[in-house]
C-alpha cells in the first residue's frame, strides 16, 4: 500500500507555518530574477519564522525556481556548490 506524504510530517511541518501560505504564488516565482522582481517575496521571507528551514529544504532539494527562504535560484546554486566543494573527496 502506497503512503501519501503528509504536509504535517517532521520533514515538511515547517510549510504550514510559512508566511507565504495564502500569498499569491506568482509573487515567489517572478518571470525574471532581479533584485526589484524578487524584493516583494524576499520581504515576506525575512519576516517568516521558518526562513531557515525553507532555505535549507530548497538547497537540499535543488529547487531551481523561485524565491525560497529569502534566496533566489542563483543564490541557492551558489550555496549548494559551496557545500559540495567543502565535502572531502571520495577515495576510490
Amino acid at each position: 500500500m502506497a503512503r501519501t506524504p503528509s504536509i504535517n510530517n517532521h520533514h515538511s511541518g515547517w510549510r504550514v507555518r510559512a508566511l507565504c501560505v495564502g500569498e499569491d504564488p506568482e509573487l515567489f516565482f517572478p518571470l525574471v530574477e532581479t533584485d526589484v522582481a524578487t524584493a516583494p517575496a524576499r520581504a515576506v521571507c525575512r519576516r517568516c519564522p521558518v526562513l531557515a528551514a525553507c532555505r535549507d529544504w530548497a538547497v537540499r532539494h535543488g529547487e531551481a525556481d523561485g524565491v525560497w527562504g529569502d534566496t533566489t535560484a542563483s543564490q541557492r546554486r551558489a550555496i549548494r556548490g559551496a557545500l559540495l566543494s567543502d565535502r572531502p573527496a571520495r577515495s576510490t
Side-chain angles (χ1 to χ4, degrees), residues 26-42 67 72:
E26 289 186 20
L27 180 70
F28 296 89
F29 295 91
L31 296 176
V32 293
E33 188 182 288
T34 64
D35 289 343
V36 171
T38 62
R42 295 181 79 193
V67 174
T72 63

Side-chain angles (χ1 to χ4, degrees), residues 38-59:
T38 62
R42 295 181 79 193
V44 172
C45 291
R46 283 191 288 277
R47 298 187 325 266
C48 188
V50 296
L51 181 150
C54 177
R55 181 195 56 231
D56 294 347
W57 182 91
V59 169

